[in-house]
């Protein structure tokens, strides 16, 4: 989690990054720009942290969304052995792809 | 009530009107699996019959508007007949009478033998829940092989729209390798789609789904 916070703050230039829920591997922070072109404004986001050797399941995501209450999306950070980090956005139910 | 033929566990539809009806009322596109006689060398556009996937067949069965009958034997008979015709005729004198009998037999065998116990190929259970979830939301669902998933979901008729989702139908606790998520999400995002995983919650019987796209950074 600390690795992801450092990456968010120093490489992706996020602000106010804090551990939100240690047990659920969740961070909360604010990105420097809108995450989705159709967002009205920049808002604070939840970041789920997992390691490449972990796996995801529908139950797992459901649990994650239960711990972020009202949020409709979560950023999923995946750390690999060599410390590269990939960021994906996970939406609850079906979310149309972005138009570009 | 429509009656549809099942050949070796698969539903094939030979009637254009039925195909149109399925498309308009149930968002079921199926796959045209015949060739176009004028252009036998291409496979971009198929002709009759329309082949239904196990999911589509089961979905139609559940609407109670369709019944199925086993038509396998008719097709086998016709196949055998064609093979026999190709064999060189040794008795020249009797050829005209035997071919007349053959025609009569062929007509008789075309009357299908109806039975209530028709064996349909069964879809994978966990996937079917996700298939149903998509169709009931109004999506057209096609097989997902070309994009490395189980289903491709189109927001409307497949001739008018590009697909929106590459979907995996899973068990609720089925673990997905993160490398699979990364490659699925990356591929879908690069072709302007979303990668979706769905499963039926065994406790609530509701189907839950999540859409995943690349964030645009990192």
């Amino acid at each position: 989690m600390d690795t992801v916070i450092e990456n968010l703050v120093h490489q992706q230039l996020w602000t106010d990054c804090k551990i939100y829920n240690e047990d659920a591997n969740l961070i909360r922070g604010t990105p420097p720009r809108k995450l989705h072109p159709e967002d009205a404004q920049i808002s604070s986001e939840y970041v789920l942290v997992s390691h490449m050797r972990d796996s995801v399941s529908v139950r797992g995501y459901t649990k994650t969304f239960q711990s972020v209450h009202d949020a409709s999306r979560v950023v999923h950070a995946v750390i690999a052995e060599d410390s590269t980090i990939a960021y994906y956005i996970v939406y609850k139910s079906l979310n149309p792809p972005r138009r570009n | 009530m429509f009656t549809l033929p099942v050949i070796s566990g698969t539903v094939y539809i030979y009637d254009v009107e039925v195909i149109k009806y399925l498309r308009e009322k149930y968002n079921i596109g199926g796959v045209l699996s015949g060739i176009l006689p004028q252009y036998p060398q291409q496979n971009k556009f198929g002709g009759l019959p329309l082949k239904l996937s196990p999911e589509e067949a089961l979905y139609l069965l559940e609407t109670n508007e369709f019944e199925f009958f086993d038509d396998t034997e008719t097709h086998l008979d016709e196949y055998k007949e064609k093979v026999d015709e190709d064999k060189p005729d040794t008795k020249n004198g009797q050829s005209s009478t035997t071919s007349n009998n053959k025609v009569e037999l062929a007509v008789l065998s075309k009357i299908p033998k109806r039975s209530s116990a028709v064996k349909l190929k069964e879809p994978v259970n966990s996937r079917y829940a996700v298939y149903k979830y998509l169709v009931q939301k109004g999506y057209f669902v096609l097989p997902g092989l070309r994009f490395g998933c189980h289903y491709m979901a189109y927001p409307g008729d497949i001739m008018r729209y590009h697909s929106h989702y590459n979907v995996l139908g899973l068990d609720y606790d089925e673990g997905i390798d993160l490398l699979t998520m990364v490659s699925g999400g990356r591929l879908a995002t690069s072709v302007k789609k979303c990668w979706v995983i769905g499963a039926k919650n065994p406790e609530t019987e509701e189907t839950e789904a999540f859409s995943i796209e690349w964030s645009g950074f990192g």
Side-chain angles (χ1 to χ4, degrees):
Chain A
M1 289 232 264
D2 295 336
T3 318
V4 172
I5 289 181
E6 272 190 19
N7 182 271
L8 283 173
V9 171
H10 297 292
Q11 190 174 359
Q12 316 299 346
L13 308 176
W14 284 41
T15 48
D16 309 323
C17 291
K18 287 186 203 78
I19 290 176
Y20 175 74
N21 183 335
E22 183 106 48
D23 300 322
N25 290 319
L26 282 164
I27 294 169
R28 195 167 188 181
T30 310
R33 60 189 84 84
K34 288 189 278 186
L35 275 195
H36 194 283
E38 281 162 42
D39 287 352
Q41 61 198 47
I42 297 173
S43 54
S44 89
E45 303 287 341
Y46 296 96
V47 183
L48 169 69
V49 179
S50 43
H51 194 277
M52 208 70 201
R53 62 176 166 260
D54 300 335
S55 64
V56 292
S57 66
V58 176
R59 188 192 289 277
Y61 276 142
T62 302
K63 273 192 187 149
T64 302
F65 276 93
Q66 276 164 1
S67 22
V68 297
H69 309 294
D70 52 342
S72 64
R73 70 178 178 207
V74 160
V75 176
H76 192 167
V78 184
I79 317 175
E81 212 64 61
D82 59 8
S83 84
T84 47
I85 306 176
Y87 293 95
Y88 282 78
I89 306 178
V90 183
Y91 296 88
K92 216 177 194 168
S93 76
L94 296 174
N95 186 70
R98 39 182 89 187
R99 280 174 287 168
N100 47 2
Chain B
M1 184 73 113
F2 289 93
T3 308
L4 303 176
V6 178
I7 300 143
S8 299
T10 304
V11 180
Y12 288 92
I13 303 172
Y14 291 84
D15 186 337
V16 177
E17 289 304 316
V18 177
I19 294 175
K20 203 172 140 200
Y21 183 73
L22 292 183
R23 218 169 159 128
E24 286 169 357
K25 184 165 179 198
Y26 291 107
N27 292 346
I28 283 179
V31 175
L32 283 164
S33 61
I35 57 156
L36 299 180
Q38 296 94 324
Y39 304 101
Q41 299 290 322
Q42 60 85 38
N43 58 7
K44 269 238 155 83
F45 296 100
L48 294 176
L50 185 89
K51 184 178 176 179
L52 295 187
S53 68
E55 287 86 340
E56 289 167 329
L58 182 56
Y59 185 77
L60 290 183
L61 189 65
E62 286 179 359
T63 62
N64 288 323
E65 211 192 331
F66 298 85
E67 59 175 8
F68 300 113
F69 68 94
D70 198 313
D71 204 20
T72 312
E73 251 173 75
T74 316
H75 286 259
L76 277 177
D77 290 350
E78 210 158 308
Y79 171 73
K80 277 182 203 142
E81 218 171 85
K82 292 226 163 88
V83 172
D84 287 344
E85 271 171 23
D86 286 344
K87 280 181 188 157
D89 199 353
T90 44
K91 298 168 210 159
N92 283 329
Q94 295 173 335
S95 63
S96 65
T97 47
T98 43
S99 69
N100 267 343
N101 284 342
K102 245 184 211 169
V103 170
E104 209 168 295
L105 272 175
V107 171
L108 276 177
S109 69
K110 269 182 189 130
I111 300 165
K113 301 165 184 76
R114 294 183 189 223
S115 86
S116 51
V118 179
K119 273 225 151 173
L120 281 171
K121 277 185 191 149
E122 278 179 37
V124 180
N125 205 12
S126 53
R127 282 185 213 170
Y128 181 63
V130 177
Y131 172 83
K132 209 164 155 181
Y133 170 84
L134 294 168
V135 171
Q136 286 177 340
K137 279 182 181 289
Y139 288 93
F140 268 72
V141 181
L142 246 55
L145 178 68
R146 276 179 282 190
F147 287 97
C149 54
H150 295 143
Y151 306 118
M152 293 194 281
Y154 291 69
D157 194 284
I158 47 183
M159 295 299 270
R160 294 183 59 203
Y161 293 92
H162 286 296
S163 70
H164 273 184
Y165 305 108
N166 296 344
V167 188
L168 282 186
L170 306 169
D171 281 317
Y172 201 54
D173 287 301
E174 191 173 341
I176 286 287
D177 199 38
L178 277 172
L179 206 57
T180 309
M181 187 203 84
V182 167
S183 47
R186 204 48 95 108
L187 169 70
T189 306
S190 68
V191 290
K192 297 177 189 171
K193 303 182 200 313
C194 257
W195 190 69
V196 171
I197 57 172
K200 185 159 96 179
N201 183 330
E203 287 106 49
T204 61
E205 297 280 304
E206 297 276 318
T207 302
E208 295 168 12
F210 296 96
S211 321
I212 292 133
E213 66 178 10
W214 182 51
S215 64
F217 60 87

